[in-house]
Amino acid sequence: MARCGRCGRCGRCGRGALLAVAAWTAGWLLAAVLLLRAHPGVLSERCTDEKSRRILAALCQDYRGGWLVGDLCQDLCEKGTLRYQRCLYYERGKKVLQAEWHGQPVVLKSTREAFASFPPLGLLGDGSQGGPAEAELLLVVAGEVRHALGLELPNDSLGLLWPGQRGADWQQQVASAWALLQQEEFVYLSLLQGLSRHVPPVLGSCGHFYAVEHLAAGSSQHRALFPLEQKQARARALAISRIALSFLDMVGHFDRDFSHRLHLCDVKPENFAIRRDLTVLAIDVDMAFFEPKMREILEQNCTGDEDCNFFDCFSKCDLRANKCGAERANSNLQVICDKIFRYWFVSSPRDSAVPPWRQFQLQEAVRECSRTAAPGVFWKLRHLLQATLRELQQADKPPRSSLEHAW
């Protein structure tokens, strides 16, 4: 009998090799599916005004035909106070459009083009027979939230996701709410509404489209990653320090302020935006997961640590069990330090507005932050950024007179 080239013994490694191949194949299939989810531009289609106007015209036709409802439908389809402006992007079926609502810019979003393309909630009918049907509906809603977010939520916390009062258009309310409920980002933003200043609120909806505020999104094309009004070096350094501190506030908020930690698995400038007061918001949470869902995603078959990398969320491979650990090995802070802060404080040219010795301290802190998830790094970086902000603000103040010095 031929000797095994791997271990030198006959027939002992065959089963292990088959398991390794199966795990490798499954890992690559999972990676391919998740790649399309995290980087849907691979399958993006051309974004045109003509098609976008047709999509909204079809939405209004369904509204007038009695198929759907929403608190923005009248403004969009009858009053003209919600007006289409331009197409922002199409990605893997998702349509993102810019509009103007009562003079303010907003963004309209839906993961699908047509209302009819969402699977209907047919098995429960229109829920017009009283209490039992409504209770059954809430069970289905809770199940959908559990599937999407991995969270068990009590019925009284589902009010933002489901129509609360029956009326003549109850069936249309149910159909519209069900189409929205099948969009994970809408579920996230709705459940976090009023609980976080680092995610944009849902302003309203019409059928399967929902609206959020239009914000100044990040981009690697911007000199400071975000479009800043400040042009002078000192003013720009002040703005970057404030934005960086807001990022840290967001990290701490997502780590501590919910019943489960919220993990960000696709960190890039385009997925964040700033308000005029320089508060950072996560505007694309398609790849954000609460702890229970994160553990479910990470716990996959593996043959090495590289098989346990879920985009920006990493785990470790247990080679004895060929299974990725369910606990994330890195942190939101590490990834933000590596993909955002590194550009500001390590890779980009040094800004003369910040003293060289302070720049060096920030560079070392960001490098350390990129390498380790130790909690002390958070506070060290926060302290340095606060000190930098104070120094820049102090330098902006006019010098005191000799009389003031004397006093």
Side-chain angles (χ1 to χ4, degrees):
M1 183 180 292
R3 294 177 66 82
C4 176
R6 180 179 177 187
C7 66
R9 290 173 292 179
C10 300
R12 294 291 185 89
C13 294
R15 182 177 299 177
L18 287 173
L19 287 174
V21 170
W24 181 86
T25 304
W28 273 104
L29 287 173
L30 176 66
V33 171
L34 296 176
L35 174 64
L36 293 178
R37 179 174 180 175
H39 302 283
V42 174
L43 295 180
S44 61
E45 54 183 305
R46 187 167 175 238
C47 187
T48 66
D49 287 332
E50 181 183 0
K51 182 169 183 178
S52 299
R53 292 183 189 279
R54 285 204 310 267
I55 291 171
L56 294 181
L59 177 68
C60 288
Q61 185 176 353
D62 285 343
Y63 165 67
R64 297 186 187 100
W67 294 102
L68 57 85
V69 292
D71 51 2
L72 295 182
C73 288
Q74 279 196 351
D75 288 350
L76 176 66
C77 304
E78 295 179 0
K79 297 180 180 179
T81 52
L82 177 58
R83 294 190 298 273
Y84 170 82
Q85 286 190 316
R86 66 189 181 101
C87 182
L88 294 178
Y89 62 87
Y90 300 160
E91 287 184 345
R92 197 170 49 89
K94 185 176 184 178
K95 304 295 184 286
V96 182
L97 317 175
Q98 184 176 334
E100 186 180 76
W101 186 39
H102 296 289
Q104 296 298 317
V106 298
V107 176
L108 298 174
K109 293 184 173 185
S110 176
T111 57
R112 301 191 185 190
E113 178 177 326
F115 182 72
S117 64
F118 287 90
L121 185 62
L123 74 148
L124 297 179
D126 61 6
S128 61
Q129 301 301 315
E134 186 171 350
E136 197 173 0
L137 281 170
L138 286 174
L139 283 176
V140 175
V141 173
E144 188 69 16
V145 171
R146 183 170 59 251
H147 171 73
L149 308 187
L151 299 180
E152 297 280 355
L153 298 178
N155 287 353
D156 58 5
S157 66
L158 301 175
L160 292 172
L161 299 173
W162 204 247
Q165 296 183 348
R166 294 175 181 270
D169 59 354
W170 172 252
Q171 187 171 359
Q172 292 87 344
Q173 289 182 47
V174 169
S176 300
W178 184 245
L180 291 169
L181 196 60
Q182 294 173 69
Q183 304 180 58
E184 288 185 20
E185 183 176 79
F186 172 82
V187 176
Y188 268 108
L189 297 182
S190 297
L191 290 177
L192 295 178
Q193 193 146 322
L195 300 177
S196 175
R197 68 192 192 111
H198 291 291
V199 295
V202 175
L203 302 176
S205 64
C206 179
H208 58 301
F209 272 88
Y210 60 96
V212 296
E213 60 183 311
H214 183 270
L215 297 162
S219 170
S220 57
Q221 303 301 315
H222 296 303
R223 180 179 178 183
L225 294 184
F226 294 91
L228 299 179
E229 297 176 356
Q230 296 83 353
K231 303 302 180 184
Q232 294 182 343
R234 190 177 304 281
R236 190 167 58 251
L238 270 167
I240 289 173
S241 298
R242 289 195 175 100
I243 296 170
L245 283 166
S246 187
F247 263 111
L248 290 184
D249 182 72
M250 181 187 71
V251 165
H253 173 56
F254 287 171
D255 279 354
R256 298 186 297 267
D257 293 348
F258 304 126
S259 57
H260 297 284
R261 180 173 295 177
L262 182 60
H263 297 273
L264 303 176
C265 294
D266 188 20
V267 173
K268 56 186 177 183
E270 291 79 4
N271 287 347
F272 300 95
I274 54 172
R275 287 201 169 104
R276 292 187 67 86
D277 65 358
L278 304 181
T279 298
V280 173
L281 290 89
I283 58 171
D284 189 332
V285 293
D286 284 334
M287 292 287 286
F289 305 96
F290 284 109
E291 182 73 22
K293 188 72 173 182
M294 186 80 267
R295 296 178 71 88
E296 177 186 327
I297 291 170
L298 288 175
E299 203 169 18
Q300 302 293 331
N301 294 330
C302 63
T303 58
D305 286 346
E306 64 277 3
D307 296 330
C308 303
N309 293 350
F310 181 82
F311 302 98
D312 291 327
C313 296
F314 302 158
S315 178
K316 296 289 186 180
C317 182
D318 182 349
L319 294 176
R320 294 170 298 179
N322 290 116
K323 202 80 170 176
C324 296
E327 186 174 351
R328 184 181 176 186
N330 66 340
S331 68
N332 288 339
L333 179 61
Q334 278 181 272
V335 183
I336 286 171
C337 279
D338 186 49
K339 293 196 168 184
I340 306 291
F341 288 2
R342 183 181 291 275
Y343 178 87
W344 285 332
F345 304 115
V346 179
S347 303
S348 60
R350 297 188 176 187
D351 199 321
S352 59
V354 179
W357 59 272
R358 181 66 77 192
Q359 290 181 25
F360 177 77
Q361 289 180 327
L362 287 167
Q363 287 174 0
E364 291 302 301
V366 168
R367 288 191 179 103
E368 182 182 2
C369 170
S370 302
R371 293 191 302 265
T372 177
V377 177
F378 174 92
W379 298 108
K380 178 179 181 180
L381 190 54
R382 186 170 181 265
H383 170 75
L384 287 172
L385 286 168
Q386 287 175 332
T388 303
L389 187 62
R390 285 195 303 269
E391 291 157 4
L392 290 168
Q393 290 171 331
Q394 190 67 32
D396 274 345
K397 294 180 180 179
R400 293 184 297 173
S401 67
S402 56
L403 182 62
E404 288 177 312
H405 278 293
W407 280 103

